[in-house]
Amino acid sequence: AQVNLLRDTFAAATDLEQSLLLAKRLAGTGDAPDLFAHLGAPRHWRAVGPFPVSTEDGLTKSFPPESKLDFAAEYDGKAGKLKWARATADPADAKLDVAKYGIKPDDGAVCYATATIKLSAATKAEVRASAVDNVTVWVNRAKVLERASEYRSMFRPDRYRAAVDLPAGESVVLVKLTKTKAEEVRGKPGAPVRWDALVRFVSPATGRAVPFTQPEGK
């Protein structure tokens, strides 16, 4: 009975933090809630970085992924050649942590992540993004969100929001994360470094997830 109540409450939740808490509680019972479907967040990504930037041009400098997505391309990075890598968001919180794929948030660094989503019908949606520091989001090559500042910002759930028209069929999401200054070291010594973001698509009327699939191999 308790599990059924948790399932019903989880299904009705639209707040991000509440959804994460309920999903954690459900997982603790042995259940397997699909957080990605519930939040409208892509699970499968490709990521590349870090590209080098200075403090002066970190917020404005563009790199090749902004003009063309070529997954076979190699780029000049901070410590040699860069290649696209497949990446998976964390099923526990739906965040994509690029640091898990060797992309470290050094002082002066840019990385990109991209995901393809597929809708059965066109819909008006709201894209919601959360990230520490700077984040830019494009949908089908149109810039829909940008937060650019030299000052650090805490990870605040669904902080950045914008209306977006999603067509039927495939849409390409591109996320740019920028670090202009070294991150303050907090927490326990030796704690893993994170460089993560959460992007999701919801109905502007209800806050519920926009249903989509992710094509294999994209």
Side-chain angles (χ1 to χ4, degrees):
Q2 183 181 8
V3 173
N4 288 334
L5 178 59
L6 280 173
R7 288 173 179 166
D8 291 343
T9 306
F10 175 68
T14 57
D15 177 78
L16 176 56
E17 289 185 297
Q18 184 182 45
S19 297
L20 294 175
L21 177 61
L22 289 165
K24 184 177 181 180
R25 289 182 177 176
L26 271 173
T29 69
D31 217 23
D34 187 343
L35 196 59
F36 297 104
H38 180 80
L39 295 178
R43 178 195 298 264
H44 304 293
W45 295 82
R46 291 178 188 255
V48 66
F51 294 86
V53 293
S54 67
T55 301
E56 292 73 25
D57 65 14
L59 301 174
T60 58
K61 189 171 183 178
S62 298
F63 293 94
E66 293 182 32
S67 56
K68 181 182 180 181
L69 289 177
D70 180 0
F71 298 134
E74 291 188 357
Y75 311 107
D76 292 324
K78 295 198 70 172
K81 293 294 184 180
L82 302 176
K83 296 181 180 180
W84 287 95
R86 291 189 181 275
T88 304
D90 191 331
D93 58 17
K95 295 179 183 178
L96 176 67
D97 182 6
V98 297
K100 290 182 178 179
Y101 300 92
I103 304 174
K104 302 299 184 182
D106 299 326
D107 186 5
V110 164
C111 75
Y112 293 90
T114 184
T116 299
I117 62 176
K118 186 175 182 180
L119 279 70
S120 59
T123 187
K124 291 186 178 297
E126 182 176 76
V127 57
R128 299 181 178 180
S130 315
V132 175
D133 296 336
N134 302 288
V135 59
T136 307
V137 179
W138 293 263
V139 177
N140 295 328
R141 304 186 67 85
K143 185 185 292 185
V144 295
L145 277 176
E146 184 173 41
R147 189 274 183 186
S149 170
E150 291 186 4
Y151 298 97
R152 296 193 67 234
S153 171
M154 300 303 293
F155 193 104
R156 298 180 184 176
D158 289 344
R159 181 174 186 183
Y160 310 111
R161 307 183 182 199
V164 60
D165 291 324
L166 296 176
E170 295 183 1
S171 287
V172 177
V173 184
L174 178 66
V175 178
K176 177 183 182 181
L177 302 177
T178 304
K179 292 278 187 182
T180 56
K181 294 184 178 180
E183 186 171 2
E184 296 175 19
V185 178
R186 294 183 180 180
K188 298 179 181 179
V193 175
R194 294 179 65 96
W195 194 8
D196 49 18
L198 171 59
V199 177
R200 66 194 194 102
F201 296 89
V202 302
S203 163
T206 65
R208 295 188 178 279
V210 169
F212 60 78
T213 58
Q214 288 198 266
E216 292 186 13
K218 290 297 183 76

